[in-house]
Structures are given as C-alpha cells and as structure tokens.
Amino acid sequence: MRVRVFKLKNAIFTVSTIAIIILLAVLLHVTGSYRTVFVAKRQLPIYSVARDDKKIAISFDCAWGVEHTDEILSVLKREQVHATFFMVEFWANKYPEYVKKIDANGHEIGTHSRTHSKMSTLSKASIIDELQTSSAAITNSTGKKVELFRPPFGDYNNILIETARDEGYFTIQWNVDSLDWKDLTAMQITNRIVKQVKSGSIILCHNNAKHIAQALPIVLDRLKNQGYTFVPIGELIFRENFIIDTNGVQKNAL
C-alpha cells in the first residue's frame, strides 16, 4: 500500500513539474522575457550578392595616406571601372581634395566610421555618432548622401548592424580579401583576388597598400577577360526585397 502511495505521489510531482515548466515558457513568451533566455538571431552584413550576371565590385578602404591613390584612380579611369571607396572621417577631413577627386571620377563613396575603432564595443549612441559625423565629412565635400558603411576591421555585432540599418545604411563586408595591407607582391595580390572571385563578389583592397597600384591593372585585365563586369557596390546589391543568408550572401527575396 505504501509503495502505491509513493508511486502516486511521484507521478503527481512529475506532472506538476511539467505543468509549471510549460506555464513558465508561456509566460516568458507572452511577456517578451524569452529574449533573455534564447539567443537572438545573428545579424549579418552583406559579404557578397547572389547573382549570375558576372557583375562584381572592387572597393578600397581609405584610412592612412594617399601615396598610391592617384595611380589607382588613373588605372580605374583607363580601364573605365567605377569602384567604391570607404573613408574614415579623419582621412576625409585631412584629404578633402581626394574626396572630391574620387567623387569627380565617378566613384562611389561610403563611410568607414569616424575613428576607425572596433564598433562592436560601442554603445548605440556612439555608433550613431560615428556614422553621422563621418558621413557628414564626406557629404560636405561631395554634396551626396552616404548610404554604404563598412565596419573597421570587419568587426560587428547585432547592435551595430541594426543601428546602421535604422540609420539608413547598408553594411558592407567582403568575400574576397586581397590582403594587400600585408605588403604582398603585386602578383600575390593578383592571384589571391582572381582565384576567389565569383559572380556577385565584393573585393577588399586599400588605397594606400604598397603594391595595390601595380596589381590593379593586372587584376582588372584578368577578370575582364573572364567575362566579369565591375560596378560600384551600390549597383551590385539589392536595395529592397532581399534576405541575407547565414553566409552573408544577399539574395533577392522575390
């Protein structure tokens, strides 16, 4: 008899425990507190674009110096290629004549932040300040609105991506890294880029990398011969009705 009573009590306890767990889950869901329990969906920038027309984009981050910029612009003009330049505010303020020159040559300009800091460590207010002031420095020289943003160091978190989106920016990463900042030779840079490129690729370079100006004409020639067409990032991406998959590939949602 005692055994039966013990089993009955155990059964009642088990059912009660399950009921409490279910009730708590329902309450957490209704109140929104479940956000502190479950991991939030990871927000991603655009690394590349899903398209089959062999359009690609080449970009240059501008943060330190201008020694190779004129040669880069000369090559791009000769090859009739329009690129995207991401500028840090202190660079844009130091070299306003280059901001104007890049814009006058038909290239697209995006912000690369105000201070070139790791923006995943910043508050939302600080992120907004970084975006707004750096964009203003560019707009003051070009008269054009800034719509693209590349986080320094490729560093980001959900708050950064969401805040940039709320402020009207497309956050842009890359899927082809030239590693030109490591002082690779022109041929090493060329081989890295050409080997990785596919339709919809975004190529990362730096305006003041030691050998990028020598590599650039070879890169453009080889990729053109493979049937690729260069467009600014703003023309490569989808501006509405899109999704970004878990690999950072932007896709048309229609």
Side-chain angles (χ1 to χ4, degrees):
M1 182 65 179
R2 289 181 180 178
V3 174
R4 290 181 181 178
V5 171
F6 179 78
K7 288 183 177 180
L8 180 60
K9 287 182 178 180
N10 273 351
I12 293 172
F13 177 80
T14 301
V15 171
S16 300
T17 301
I18 293 173
I20 291 171
I21 292 172
I22 293 173
L23 179 60
L24 286 173
V26 171
L27 288 173
L28 286 171
H29 180 80
V30 171
T31 62
S33 299
Y34 66 93
R35 292 178 183 175
T36 64
V37 178
F38 298 100
V39 177
K41 180 182 178 182
R42 189 183 182 206
Q43 301 295 312
L44 293 173
I46 300 171
Y47 282 79
S48 65
V49 184
R51 49 193 309 156
D52 55 12
D53 56 6
K54 301 203 79 171
K55 286 185 178 180
I56 57 177
I58 188 165
S59 62
F60 299 86
D61 288 357
C62 306
W64 323 107
V66 293
E67 286 81 356
H68 309 291
T69 306
D70 284 312
E71 189 174 355
I72 289 170
L73 291 175
S74 178
V75 171
L76 292 172
K77 184 175 182 179
R78 184 176 70 242
E79 296 296 328
Q80 297 183 319
V81 168
H82 288 150
T84 302
F85 289 76
F86 290 96
M87 301 175 180
V88 179
E89 181 181 337
F90 56 72
W91 189 93
N93 286 336
K94 186 175 183 179
Y95 306 107
E97 71 277 14
Y98 274 94
V99 180
K100 294 176 181 178
K101 187 183 295 188
I102 289 168
D103 175 63
N105 275 268
H107 302 296
E108 180 179 51
I109 300 177
T111 173
H112 196 34
S113 82
R114 178 169 67 87
T115 60
H116 203 270
S117 60
K118 286 195 172 184
M119 293 179 69
S120 68
T121 65
L122 303 181
S123 67
K124 183 174 181 177
S126 295
I127 291 171
I128 292 173
D129 178 63
E130 289 268 345
L131 293 171
Q132 290 182 346
T133 60
S134 58
S135 294
I138 295 167
T139 301
N140 287 342
S141 292
T142 66
K144 297 177 181 178
K145 180 181 178 181
V146 177
E147 299 179 311
L148 304 181
F149 160 59
R150 172 169 285 161
F153 312 104
D155 172 69
Y156 62 90
N157 60 4
N158 282 8
I159 294 175
L160 178 60
I161 302 297
E162 291 167 355
T163 302
R165 182 172 61 238
D166 292 344
E167 291 296 306
Y169 297 88
F170 293 94
T171 303
I172 307 297
Q173 205 81 324
W174 62 85
N175 72 315
V176 178
D177 190 346
S178 68
L179 292 183
D180 54 359
W181 59 274
K182 287 190 172 184
D183 291 345
L184 301 182
T185 66
M187 288 312 301
Q188 287 175 323
I189 293 170
T190 298
N191 291 334
R192 276 192 59 83
I193 293 174
V194 173
K195 183 179 179 180
Q196 297 179 69
V197 163
K198 59 184 178 181
S199 186
S201 281
I202 297 173
I203 304 167
L204 169 66
C205 302
H206 298 79
N207 75 302
N208 212 39
K210 189 174 182 179
H211 299 294
I212 187 58
Q214 290 74 42
L216 187 58
I218 309 172
V219 169
L220 299 181
D221 182 64
R222 287 193 182 181
L223 292 175
K224 282 183 176 181
N225 286 337
Q226 292 180 20
Y228 288 104
T229 301
F230 290 88
V231 296
I233 292 173
E235 295 180 21
L236 186 75
I237 63 175
F238 300 112
R239 290 180 169 269
E240 55 186 16
N241 300 317
F242 65 83
I243 60 171
I244 300 176
D245 71 14
T246 55
N247 294 313
V249 180
Q250 188 196 40
K251 298 179 178 180
N252 192 338
L254 295 181

